[in-house]
Amino acid sequence: MKNQKVSRNIGIDFLRVISIVYIVGFWHMFNYTNAIPNYRNIVTYRITWIILGTFLFISGYFIGKKRVEINKKSLKYFYINRILRIYPLYCLSIIIFTYFGLSDFNTSLKAAFLISTFFVPQPPTLWFITMLMIFYVSSPFIMVACQNISIIKLIITYIVLTILLLFYWYSTRLIDTRIIVYLPSFVFGLFTSHHETRISTNKYLLYLALVIATILSFATNTSYDSLNMLFATPMIAIVAYLLFTLFRKVSIQHQKVKSSILIVGYSSYCMYLFHRPIYMILKKLYFPDSSILQLTYLVTFCLPCIWLFSYSIQKSYDNIIQVLTHHSRAKVNPKPWE
């Protein structure tokens, strides 16, 4: 199997950096301080859903650019590449989460075997990586389907699948319904990688769909987060696509800024995996009483520490993989989100 070459796009890396900084430096950071007690609201919830959907859209898009055939050799190469890239670090994060009491042993064990999505509960934060790996497992088959299917048939297929998954949830209460919410973003990324021209020619229909989906999302704000997310699903997928197309056109010429973006983007996977335990450790070591000082400490000291640790872990892991695969024909891409 040969991969199609996809040129590096600094705008997409910039979008990744903005996304990971939002999750690590805002959405989760305020779990550790009361500096802004009402930061979770109808707007920030939807921004967070869109950010996570954007991660999945980008992953789906770049996976869709790879040439994968449904045969033993091609699938073996595809799965080994993805397992080496993300699974060992994911398992390490599960162990750390369990040690710090963020996840109990049974939940962690289910997550390690990638079944916690269908047999909740799931570990906090790591549920997203579990779901991402499930999408990776199914992606070769979705890619083949996306090459010849129309978007209408794709939507109908998703609706049927949603009905089946909701029936399973209603019968067992075991499935994490977030997989229903984020699947369209990932599949839309795969679909876009094969049909960009077709989508761009219908951009006005897409804008109309976005307006309708956004109104539906905000108008149906209930006391149930899962239901709110289900109503927001079309908005999440469409905005993720629009952000992708917008940032792909971004050009950054300043070399230091460009290098900084690439470095943070390179560290983003480990930042996502390990930021919660790092926050907990640093908060135990020192934490000021004043809300303003707490916020200053978290932003100016804790966030750089998270990045430094994450970069070191990712770099060390890549060096280990490089040594292990030095004599192998397989080459592991060090970009976990792609």
Side-chain angles (χ1 to χ4, degrees), residues 122-180:
Q122 295 211 77
T125 304
L126 299 183
W127 65 268
F128 183 76
I129 307 301
T130 310
M131 181 181 66
L132 177 63
M133 285 194 281
I134 293 172
F135 291 163
Y136 278 171
V137 169
S138 59
S139 59
F141 307 96
I142 300 175
M143 287 163 62
V144 172
C146 283
Q147 291 175 7
N148 301 308
I149 196 171
S150 68
I151 195 166
I152 298 300
K153 291 182 179 178
L154 198 63
I155 292 172
I156 292 173
T157 302
Y158 168 72
I159 292 172
V160 172
L161 179 61
T162 297
I163 293 171
L164 293 174
L165 290 175
L166 287 176
F167 179 77
Y168 172 73
W169 172 83
Y170 181 78
S171 302
T172 65
R173 294 296 197 276
L174 290 177
I175 192 172
D176 188 333
T177 55
R178 287 174 293 192
I179 194 172
I180 302 172

Side-chain angles (χ1 to χ4, degrees), residues 73-303:
K73 183 178 179 181
S74 180
L75 291 176
K76 180 181 178 181
Y77 181 95
F78 178 84
Y79 288 132
I80 288 176
N81 191 282
R82 257 126 214 99
I83 289 171
L84 287 176
R85 189 186 310 170
I86 66 175
Y87 189 69
L89 289 174
Y90 168 70
C91 285
L92 176 61
S93 68
I94 289 176
I95 294 170
I96 294 174
F97 268 55
T98 307
Y99 176 81
F100 280 94
L102 291 167
S103 175
D104 62 71
F105 179 79
N106 290 334
T107 300
S108 297
L109 191 63
K110 289 187 294 182
F113 283 100
L114 306 182
I115 61 173
S116 58
T117 299
F118 301 101
F119 298 95
V120 294
Q122 295 211 77
T125 304
L126 299 183
W127 65 268
F128 183 76
I129 307 301
T130 310
M131 181 181 66
L132 177 63
M133 285 194 281
I134 293 172
F135 291 163
Y136 278 171
V137 169
S138 59
S139 59
F141 307 96
I142 300 175
M143 287 163 62
V144 172
C146 283
Q147 291 175 7
N148 301 308
I149 196 171
S150 68
I151 195 166
I152 298 300
K153 291 182 179 178
L154 198 63
I155 292 172
I156 292 173
T157 302
Y158 168 72
I159 292 172
V160 172
L161 179 61
T162 297
I163 293 171
L164 293 174
L165 290 175
L166 287 176
F167 179 77
Y168 172 73
W169 172 83
Y170 181 78
S171 302
T172 65
R173 294 296 197 276
L174 290 177
I175 192 172
D176 188 333
T177 55
R178 287 174 293 192
I179 194 172
I180 302 172
V181 174
Y182 291 111
L183 178 61
S185 296
F186 183 80
V187 175
F188 196 18
L190 284 173
F191 186 85
T192 301
S193 67
H194 293 285
H195 304 286
E196 289 189 77
T197 304
R198 286 171 56 186
I199 296 173
S200 61
T201 55
N202 295 303
K203 60 182 179 180
Y204 294 110
L205 287 176
L206 197 68
Y207 296 152
L208 177 61
L210 174 60
V211 172
I212 295 172
T214 302
I215 293 173
L216 177 66
S217 173
F218 280 89
T220 53
N221 188 50
T222 71
S223 57
Y224 301 99
D225 286 341
S226 296
L227 187 59
N228 294 336
M229 292 179 73
L230 286 172
F231 281 118
T233 299
M235 181 188 70
I236 294 169
I238 296 172
V239 174
Y241 165 78
L242 294 176
L243 286 174
F244 178 84
T245 56
L246 175 65
F247 275 83
R248 189 164 54 170
K249 299 175 183 178
V250 172
S251 177
I252 298 174
Q253 302 301 327
H254 196 287
Q255 191 58 44
K256 289 186 178 180
V257 174
K258 196 172 183 178
S259 298
S260 299
I261 290 171
L262 291 174
I263 291 172
V264 177
Y266 172 78
S267 311
S268 61
Y269 179 57
C270 283
M271 288 176 69
Y272 188 88
L273 289 178
F274 302 113
H275 67 274
R276 282 197 181 277
I278 296 173
Y279 274 134
M280 292 176 67
I281 292 172
L282 295 177
K283 188 174 179 180
K284 285 184 178 180
L285 291 175
Y286 169 74
F287 205 62
D289 295 326
S290 167
S291 295
I292 298 299
L293 291 178
Q294 288 176 6
L295 188 58
T296 303
Y297 174 67
L298 289 168
V299 172
T300 62
F301 183 76
C302 296
L303 271 179

Side-chain angles (χ1 to χ4, degrees), residues 305-321:
C305 285
I306 289 171
W307 167 77
L308 184 61
F309 178 83
S310 300
Y311 178 83
S312 301
I313 290 293
Q314 188 69 63
K315 191 68 175 178
S316 299
Y317 179 72
D318 289 342
N319 289 338
I320 293 170
I321 293 298

